[in-house]
């Protein structure tokens, strides 16, 4: 396998770039059935032909070990259908369900594009992404982060007005409709 990482913070190597030879190897090892990878061959005393593959990791993605290297199942499925993932690109789950690896739920995007389909941050207290209470001013504040830059949208007397302004900014900057939704399992 070609071991160039797409991400500097990928300590496990789950985002390793693949080659055409790797994709051909995946196709010899697995078959795709409705979002699941099924083993074609027995590879060890615990990995039998006909078994579905993938164990959920600590961040909710399915991963499998191939040639002693951990790989994300959704990346293998994408590559089996479309070829190697270009350097700097990512696969995202449209419905934000990290274990839903149906090919129609997977999209190729840049890192910036992937950030436009994130679930709500666990530290959010207002119930809407990019909207927070500005205590000092006694108003609701709306912000949006685009291209690594925080953009101030405005201060609003009502929560509803702040949410509407944030939604308009999401549309303007090309965010996915699911962006800011509650995290799905």
């Amino acid at each position: 396998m070609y071991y160039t990482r797409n991400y500097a913070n990928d300590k496990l190597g789950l985002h390793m770039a693949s080659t055409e030879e790797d994709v051909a190897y995946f196709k010899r090892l697995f078959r795709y059935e409705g979002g699941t990878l099924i083993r074609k061959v027995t590879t060890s005393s615990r990995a039998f032909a006909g078994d579905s593959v993938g164990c959920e990791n600590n961040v909710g993605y399915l991963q499998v070990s191939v040639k002693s290297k951990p790989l994300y199942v959704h990346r293998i499925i994408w590559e089996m259908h479309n070829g190697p993932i270009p350097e700097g690109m990512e696969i995202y789950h449209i419905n934000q369900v990290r274990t839903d690896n149906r090919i129609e739920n997977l999209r190729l995007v840049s890192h910036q594009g992937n950030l436009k389909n994130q679930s709500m941050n666990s530290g959010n207290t207002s119930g809407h992404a990019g909207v927070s209470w500005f205590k000092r001013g006694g108003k609701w504040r709306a912000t949006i982060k685009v291209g690594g830059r925080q953009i101030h949208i405005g201060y609003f007397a009502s929560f509803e007005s702040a949410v509407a302004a944030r939604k308009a900014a999401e549309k303007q900057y090309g965010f996915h409709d699911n962006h800011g939704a509650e995290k799905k399992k």
Side-chain angles (χ1 to χ4, degrees), residues 41-53:
V41 295
T42 299
T43 56
S44 74
S45 61
R46 297 187 318 172
F48 299 101
D51 289 349
S52 61
V53 303

Side-chain angles (χ1 to χ4, degrees), residues 1 10 14 29 34 41-42 48 59 61 63-64 76 85 88 108 119 127 149 151 159 169 183:
M1 295 204 171
D10 181 20
L14 295 165
L29 282 182
V41 295
T42 299
F48 299 101
V59 291
Y61 292 105
Q63 70 183 58
V64 63
I76 294 172
I85 298 167
L108 181 69
S119 54
R149 225 183 61 176
I151 299 170
F159 175 74
K183 192 171 277 192

Side-chain angles (χ1 to χ4, degrees), residues 54-161:
C55 294
E56 194 170 333
N57 68 12
N58 62 345
V59 291
Y61 292 105
L62 295 178
Q63 70 183 58
V64 63
S65 182
V66 177
K67 294 184 179 179
S68 301
K69 299 291 180 190
L71 297 172
Y72 283 133
V73 170
H74 63 274
R75 291 178 62 86
I76 294 172
I77 289 172
W78 175 267
E79 291 181 334
M80 286 174 65
H81 283 83
N82 301 290
I85 298 167
E87 188 69 32
M89 299 299 280
E90 299 176 3
I91 304 301
Y92 85 153
H93 293 81
I94 296 169
N95 67 5
Q96 298 177 339
V97 177
R98 294 177 174 184
T99 56
D100 182 357
N101 294 318
R102 294 172 296 123
I103 191 66
E104 60 270 15
N105 188 45
L106 304 177
R107 292 290 178 264
L108 181 69
V109 295
S110 67
H111 182 66
Q112 290 301 317
N114 203 1
L115 293 175
K116 292 180 178 182
N117 188 36
Q118 288 187 326
S119 54
M120 191 176 319
N121 185 305
S122 61
N124 183 296
T125 57
S126 74
H128 195 281
V131 176
S132 60
W133 178 249
F134 184 58
K135 190 175 183 178
R136 190 173 61 204
K139 293 190 176 195
W140 290 97
R141 174 177 37 199
T143 61
I144 192 164
K145 195 169 191 174
V146 179
R149 225 183 61 176
Q150 188 81 3
I151 299 170
H152 175 74
I153 299 168
Y155 295 103
F156 302 88
S158 74
F159 175 74
E160 293 77 16
S161 298

